[in-house]
């Protein structure tokens, strides 16, 4: 291959042709031919790549046709299963968690393929509404509800609000709307009634002495109006004492509860004095 008819400017056969031009070709078998073949080469620029997001998310499913691709005017989209496959995928192909490749063609040249990563998530079911009583100050990000594992909980001030409540916003009493989401796949919003109460202090209770005998119902403690007193045999016991349980000398523990809130326990010294002579 030469670029001049004088056959002085030789071009390697492996040279990538990037511009149009005339080339002169000879053949050699022991000796090079005297005559040459004239080849007029036209290099057509490759069409540009299509514009497409490299990561696409779907809820419950979709097809390649659902992926938005920006093409040049008059160009046609082409989908492939991998970077080198010659088989064109129909746009009706149902997508899965996979990588696809897309190109565009103007009928003359075809662009370089663009990689597209597809993720298909299920749309989670709606949450089950439940009233929540909160004791002390907390934020929306610290609320614990019955959402599915792996989902993101989103709180809203109304059924139509476009922006979720920030996780650092303090909770106040009211009705809020909450959904759960796998990625971009979000359930319907469900109303939750949140009631925020002040944290309870430990009840007040003095040391107490009984002559002869006494029961748990005889113990005295003071708390907020309407609170129920819970008596325990130890600081870690999970079961409360029965009001009829007989007292003995030792330490008992009392907490108060109201509106679903329970205070820390206070230790109370109890002494039972025998009346025997």
């Amino acid at each position: 291959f030469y670029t001049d008819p004088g056959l002085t400017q030789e071009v390697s056969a492996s040279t990538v042709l990037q511009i149009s031009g005339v080339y002169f070709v000879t053949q050699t078998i022991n000796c090079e031919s005297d005559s040459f073949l004239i080849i007029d080469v036209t290099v057509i620029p490759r069409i540009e790549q299509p514009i497409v997001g490299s990561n696409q998310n779907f809820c419950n499913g979709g097809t390649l046709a659902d992926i938005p691709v920006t093409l040049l005017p008059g160009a046609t989209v082409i989908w492939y299963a991998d970077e080198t496959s010659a088989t064109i995928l129909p746009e009706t192909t149902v997508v899965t968690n996979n990588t696809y490749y897309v190109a565009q063609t103007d009928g003359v040249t075809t662009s370089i393929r663009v990689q597209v990563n597809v993720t298909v998530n299920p749309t989670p079911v709606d949450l089950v509404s439940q009233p929540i009583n909160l004791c002390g100050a907390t934020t929306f990000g610290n609320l614990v509800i019955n959402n599915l594992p792996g989902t993101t909980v989103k709180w809203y001030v109304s059924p139509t609000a476009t922006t979720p409540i920030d996780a650092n916003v303090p909770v106040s009493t009211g009705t809020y709307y909450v959904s759960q989401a796998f990625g971009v796949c979000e359930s319907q919003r469900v109303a939750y009634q949140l009631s925020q109460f002040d944290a309870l202090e430990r009840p007040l209770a003095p040391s107490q002495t009984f002559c002869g005998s006494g029961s748990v119902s005889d113990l005295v403690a003071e708390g907020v109006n309407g609170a129920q007193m819970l008596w325990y045999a130890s600081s870690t016991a999970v079961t409360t004492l029965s009001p009829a349980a007989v007292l003995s000398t030792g330490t008992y523990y009392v907490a108060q509860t109201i509106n679903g809130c329970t205070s820390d326990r206070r230790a109370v010294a109890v002494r039972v004095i025998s009346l025997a002579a």
Side-chain angles (χ1 to χ4, degrees):
F1 289 86
Y2 298 90
T3 60
D4 66 304
L7 307 181
T8 59
Q9 300 177 14
E10 185 175 355
V11 179
S12 170
S14 61
T15 299
V16 177
L17 301 180
Q18 296 180 330
I19 59 174
S20 301
V22 177
Y23 294 86
F24 304 87
V25 185
T26 63
Q27 62 178 338
T28 300
I29 301 178
N30 297 322
C31 299
E32 186 175 4
S33 63
D34 293 330
S35 61
F36 52 77
L37 178 67
I38 300 175
I39 300 178
D40 191 354
V41 176
T42 301
V43 178
I44 301 174
R46 182 190 292 270
I47 191 173
E48 297 176 359
Q49 293 175 323
I51 300 174
V52 60
S54 58
N55 295 297
Q56 299 289 329
N57 292 280
F58 288 86
C59 301
N60 298 329
T63 66
L64 291 174
D66 297 319
I67 298 177
V69 182
T70 301
L71 305 173
L72 291 174
T76 304
V77 68
I78 306 175
W79 286 98
Y80 299 94
D82 57 55
E83 199 169 7
T84 58
S85 173
T87 302
I88 297 175
L89 297 176
E91 289 192 85
T92 55
T93 301
V94 176
V95 294
T96 61
N97 291 323
N98 211 334
T99 299
Y100 298 89
Y101 291 82
V102 63
Q104 65 177 333
T105 180
D106 57 6
V108 179
T109 64
T110 301
S111 71
I112 296 173
R113 303 178 187 184
V114 180
Q115 179 177 312
V116 179
N117 303 310
V118 173
T119 301
V120 180
N121 285 315
T123 298
V125 298
D126 296 346
L127 291 161
V128 178
S129 181
Q130 59 179 354
I132 298 178
N133 292 334
L134 304 169
C135 306
T138 189
T139 62
F140 280 94
N142 289 324
L143 292 176
V144 177
I145 60 173
N146 54 350
N147 60 298
L148 294 173
T151 57
T152 300
V153 174
K154 298 182 179 182
W155 292 92
Y156 298 89
V157 295
S158 74
T160 58
T162 57
T163 304
I165 300 172
D166 189 90
N168 296 319
V169 172
V171 175
S172 58
T173 297
T175 300
Y176 300 89
Y177 299 83
V178 62
S179 67
Q180 58 181 340
F182 284 120
V184 297
C185 305
E186 187 174 350
S187 69
Q188 298 294 315
R189 302 177 191 180
V190 175
Y192 271 60
Q193 178 62 42
L194 304 184
S195 299
Q196 194 272 332
F197 300 98
D198 293 335
L200 290 173
E201 298 291 337
R202 293 181 298 172
L204 300 175
S207 299
Q208 300 174 45
T209 301
F210 296 87
C211 297
S213 64
S215 63
V216 170
S217 61
D218 298 320
L219 293 171
V220 176
E222 182 180 344
V224 300
N225 290 334
Q228 177 187 358
M229 298 299 156
L230 305 175
W231 290 93
Y232 299 89
S234 71
S235 61
T236 58
V238 295
T239 303
T240 58
L241 294 171
S242 167
V246 177
L247 297 174
S248 60
T249 298
T251 301
Y252 291 82
Y253 294 83
V254 63
Q256 61 177 327
T257 181
I258 189 173
N259 297 322
C261 300
T262 302
S263 71
D264 291 335
R265 302 177 188 182
R266 181 180 294 279
V268 180
V270 173
R271 183 182 182 192
V272 180
I273 300 174
S274 173
L275 296 181

